[in-house]
């Protein structure tokens, strides 16, 4: 069963995270975030393919995490311009499995991803 992928408007992303999403020729939206220590997190999402990708790189440029997930149904952002407590949340539903990815942007980067059988 097809489920729509609901995403916030670009203005909502900017207000919550302090960064405007970029867009490529295929419509994939990308937000690049950096913390005070120099680590960066690149979060991209594609409404048509219902997919998200998170790439987390440390201050030396070494990749710490690269997660790609399909079956996204809802993307939400919260925070105030990248201030304390900015978050990205994604809900997933794929047949018999459902899950969520929670990304804390500030005060420090963290990624939690879970996918479970229903």
């Amino acid at each position: 069963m097809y489920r729509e992928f609901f995403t916030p408007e670009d203005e909502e992303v900017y207000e919550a995270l302090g960064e405007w999403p970029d867009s490529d020729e295929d419509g994939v939206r990308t937000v690049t975030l950096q913390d005070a220590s120099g680590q960066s997190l690149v979060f991209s999402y594609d409404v048509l393919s219902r997919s998200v990708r998170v790439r987390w790189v440390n201050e030396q440029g070494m990749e710490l995490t690269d997660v790609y997930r399909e079956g996204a149904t809802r993307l939400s952002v919260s925070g105030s311009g990248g201030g304390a407590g900015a978050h990205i949340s994604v809900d997933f539903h794929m047949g018999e499995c459902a899950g969520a990815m929670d990304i804390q942007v500030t005060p420090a980067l963290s990624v939690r991803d879970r996918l479970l059988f229903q």
Side-chain angles (χ1 to χ4, degrees):
M1 175 180 174
Y2 178 80
R3 294 176 187 255
E4 191 172 350
F5 182 18
F6 297 98
T7 60
E9 296 293 327
D10 288 352
E11 293 81 14
E12 294 174 72
V13 173
Y14 176 75
E15 289 173 8
L17 305 178
E19 294 291 333
W20 286 98
D22 290 324
S23 182
D24 70 10
E25 62 276 355
D26 296 323
V28 176
R29 312 298 287 162
T30 302
V31 180
T32 302
L33 305 158
Q34 194 164 24
D35 73 4
S37 70
Q39 297 185 91
S40 63
L41 186 131
V42 179
F43 177 77
S44 36
Y45 55 100
D46 184 352
V47 174
L48 293 178
S49 70
R50 296 177 46 224
S51 63
V52 300
R53 184 175 184 190
V54 177
R55 288 176 287 151
W56 183 359
V57 177
N58 70 11
E59 56 279 358
Q60 288 86 31
M62 179 186 292
E63 187 172 82
L64 301 174
T65 302
D66 187 351
V67 177
Y68 176 81
R69 175 101 51 231
E70 293 179 325
T73 57
R74 179 171 306 278
L75 166 64
S76 60
V77 292
S78 62
S80 55
H87 284 81
I88 300 169
S89 297
V90 186
D91 294 326
F92 299 92
H93 191 277
M94 297 172 288
E96 295 179 2
C97 296
M101 181 183 295
D102 297 307
I103 303 165
Q104 179 179 315
V105 177
T106 57
L109 294 174
S110 94
V111 178
R112 292 188 188 136
D113 183 38
R114 60 193 174 280
L115 187 63
L116 306 168
F117 287 112
Q118 291 185 313

